[in-house]
Every structure is written in C-alpha cells, then in structure tokens.
Amino acid sequence: LEMARGTAVAERDLRTRFMNQVSHELRTPINTIVNFAHILAQGEMGNVNPKQTDYLGRIEKSGWHSMSVLNDLLDLAQIEAGEFRLKRQIVDLETVCEDAMSSVRSLLRNPEIALVRDYPDKWPRILVDSKRFRQALLNLLGNAAKYTDGGQIILRVRTYEHTATFAVEDSGIGIPAEHHETIFQEFRQLNEAMARQRVGTGLGLPISRHLIEQHGGTLTLNSTVGQGSTFTITLPLAPSPASIESDAESDAANGRTTAKHATPQPVAPKRPI
Ligand SMILES: Nc1ncnc2c1ncn2[C@@H]1O[C@H](COP(=O)(O)OP(=O)(O)OP(=O)(O)O)[C@@H](O)[C@H]1O
Ligand SMILES: [Mg+2]
C-alpha cells in the first residue's frame, strides 16, 4: 500500500512538473508575440500603415485569446487532478463587481446595450477567493455580452436569508431547455456555426461552475429561447463576526482548545454590519 501511495505521489509530482513546464513554454512565446505586436502597432519602431495596424491588432488579439485558452486548460487540468486551492477571505464585493462590469464593456457586440447594475444598499459578507470569484463572474458577463445583440445585461446582487446571489441576466438569444445541463460540460457549444463566429472554447461554464461549487455554492440557469438567459451564482454568507465571537467565547467557557470550525476561517474585519 505504501509503495502504491508513493507511486501515486510521484506520478502527481511528475504531472504537476509537466504542466508547469508546458505552461512556461507556451506563455513565454505568447507574451513575446503580444508585446512586440503591441509595440509595432504603437508606431514606436516607425510608421505603420492602416493595413499593418489592422494585421498587428489581429496578431495581438489572437495572442491574448491563446493565453486565455491556455489558462482555461491549465485550470481544468488542476480541477481534474483535484489540486485546486482557494484563498478565501472577506472581499469588497462592490469593487469586484464593478471591475467585472467595466471589463465587459469592451466585449459588447453593440455599444448600445445597457449595462445595468442592480446592487443592494448593504452588500453581503461572503468568504471568497476574489480572483476566482471574479473569473466566474466575468465568464458569465462575457457570455452575456457574446450572445446578446440588443437590450440589456443586468448584474443583480441580493441577500436571501443565509445566501448571497449574483444574477447575470441578459436579453440575448437564450438557450433551449434540453441544453441547460449540457452547456456545463467541457467543450460544449450550442450552435457550431455561431460558435465559430463568436470566439470561445466551451470551457467557461464548466470551470465557473466548479469554481462556485468549490466555494460551497451553486451556479444555475434560467433561460427562454429568444428572450434571454439568467445565470445565478448562489453563495453562503460568511458567519457574522458576532457569531464567530460567541462561538469562541462558548468554546473558551467549555475549556475547549480546538476551533469550532473544521477549516480555519480568516478572521473577518470587525466593523458594524
Ligand atoms: N448568456 C448566454 N446566452 C446564450 N447562450 C449561452 C450563454 N452563455 C453560454 N451560452 C451557450 O453555452 C455554451 C457554453 O458556454 P461557455 O462559456 O462554456 O463556452 P464559450 O463561451 O463558448 O467559450 P469560452 O467560455 O471557453 O470562451 C456557449 O458556446 C453558448 O452556446
Ligand atoms: Mg464563455
């Protein structure tokens, strides 16, 4: 048994080293391509005519796209290997949401689409890995931008009892009911001809669902063809600072030294809620 365990660990280390190597080997040239195309397009090395500017722009865009596919594949490999780790803490959700909303503006198919914020007066407190939460939110907003030709995209944040919800609602093409589960599988894109027009790999939703489930939450879909889609992230609220303190007090009163929560929770900033 010990030997088998040793072999499994060696295999995992080898796979991790291989993935790191491949990622380095691909990232370095992609960075070179993107950066030099950018420098040339800026005219820093001499004048460029409109056609050259167009070509350089395409090189840069394709480079960024390759980088994002590479990142998705690496995320997927990590998820499959069960090696995905989150760094959870209380984050400023308004900043994260605003950040995602401003990034999505450049992805809109039509600049007249309204980006609507439906935010609460009091933001929920949740423990998230801010980079990963932002990644999931951006995937949903990016999809909404890709599959909406007019109307609006709404980001609606709410608190219901012990959960916070983040709904991305669009007035786009919608998704037929029979595909509501399949689109969460890897490499699934609905309409191949359309998918070819709209850049993508079909990894965004499976990765996003995994990221949210790792946080103890869910990612669900409601959609009607021709009317639009709503993807909703639901996450548990963080225990309130008061309840953490009273847990600690009762533990101390009981003479217990072990923490009540199985996983170590970052200490929430003490501010009135
Ligand atoms: N808001 C939406 N409206 C309509 N269809 C959608 C929407 N979001 C996702 N889909 C459908 O689900 C498929 C899978 O989405 P997913 O985000 O996983 O992949 P992608 O956007 O095609 O590529 P990637 O996210 O890897 O760049 C899409 O190709 C599209 O057919
Ligand atoms: Mg996507």
Side-chain angles (χ1 to χ4, degrees), residues 61 65 69 146-147 189 194-201:
K61 201 168 155 204
H65 176 62
V69 173
K146 248 196 287 190
Y147 298 103
Q189 296 181 301
M194 199 172 69
R196 237 176 280 126
Q197 277 178 33
R198 303 172 201 227
V199 182
T201 324

Side-chain angles (χ1 to χ4, degrees), residues 139 143 146 204:
N139 265 323
N143 283 348
K146 248 196 287 190

Side-chain angles (χ1 to χ4, degrees), residues 56 96 152 168 192:
L56 288 167
V96 177
Q152 76 271 344
V168 175
E192 280 197 12

Side-chain angles (χ1 to χ4, degrees), residues 65 68 72 139-140 142-148 170 172-175 183-185 187-191 194-195 198-206 223 228-229 231:
H65 176 62
S68 89
D72 280 354
N139 265 323
L140 300 182
N143 283 348
K146 248 196 287 190
Y147 298 103
T148 305
D170 67 54
I173 58 174
I175 301 160
I183 55 165
F184 288 99
Q185 294 164 8
F187 304 109
R188 285 304 185 98
Q189 296 181 301
L190 291 193
N191 178 330
M194 199 172 69
R198 303 172 201 227
V199 182
T201 324
L203 288 176
L205 286 177
S223 176
S229 311
F231 285 86

Side-chain angles (χ1 to χ4, degrees), residues 45-212:
M45 297 292 144
N47 286 342
V48 274
N49 66 36
K51 198 156 214 169
Q52 289 167 333
T53 308
D54 174 35
Y55 290 176
L56 288 167
R58 290 185 205 204
I59 293 173
E60 198 182 338
K61 201 168 155 204
S62 303
W64 281 124
H65 176 62
S66 308
M67 187 69 99
S68 89
V69 173
L70 174 64
N71 286 337
D72 280 354
L73 287 171
L74 290 171
D75 280 353
L76 202 68
Q78 252 189 348
I79 289 167
E80 278 170 358
E83 285 164 6
F84 213 83
R85 300 277 171 270
L86 296 175
K87 292 192 205 91
R88 297 178 67 171
Q89 52 188 339
I90 300 279
V91 298
D92 177 357
L93 286 174
E94 186 170 5
T95 306
V96 177
C97 288
E98 271 309 291
D99 210 45
M101 283 297 254
S102 54
S103 314
V104 89
R105 182 156 290 288
S106 63
L107 305 175
L108 294 177
R109 291 171 64 76
N110 164 358
E112 276 166 20
I113 293 172
L115 276 182
V116 181
R117 290 137 170 99
D118 184 356
Y119 292 163
D121 295 333
K122 196 181 109 189
W123 284 79
R125 287 174 70 256
I126 54 175
L127 284 163
V128 289
D129 181 316
S130 84
K131 180 176 156 217
R132 296 309 191 168
F133 174 68
R134 181 176 177 280
Q135 181 182 350
L137 199 57
L138 249 181
N139 265 323
L140 300 182
L141 287 166
N143 283 348
K146 248 196 287 190
Y147 298 103
T148 305
D149 292 320
Q152 76 271 344
I153 295 170
I154 309 172
L155 174 56
R156 182 170 290 132
V157 183
R158 290 281 184 274
T159 305
Y160 293 107
E161 297 193 341
H162 302 298
T163 59
T165 60
F166 301 81
V168 175
E169 185 182 320
D170 67 54
S171 55
I173 58 174
I175 301 160
E178 66 267 29
H179 294 301
H180 284 193
E181 270 311 309
T182 47
I183 55 165
F184 288 99
Q185 294 164 8
E186 287 100 30
F187 304 109
R188 285 304 185 98
Q189 296 181 301
L190 291 193
N191 178 330
E192 280 197 12
M194 199 172 69
R196 237 176 280 126
Q197 277 178 33
R198 303 172 201 227
V199 182
T201 324
L203 288 176
L205 286 177
I207 291 175
S208 302
R209 179 172 263 181
H210 180 83
L211 292 178
I212 297 303

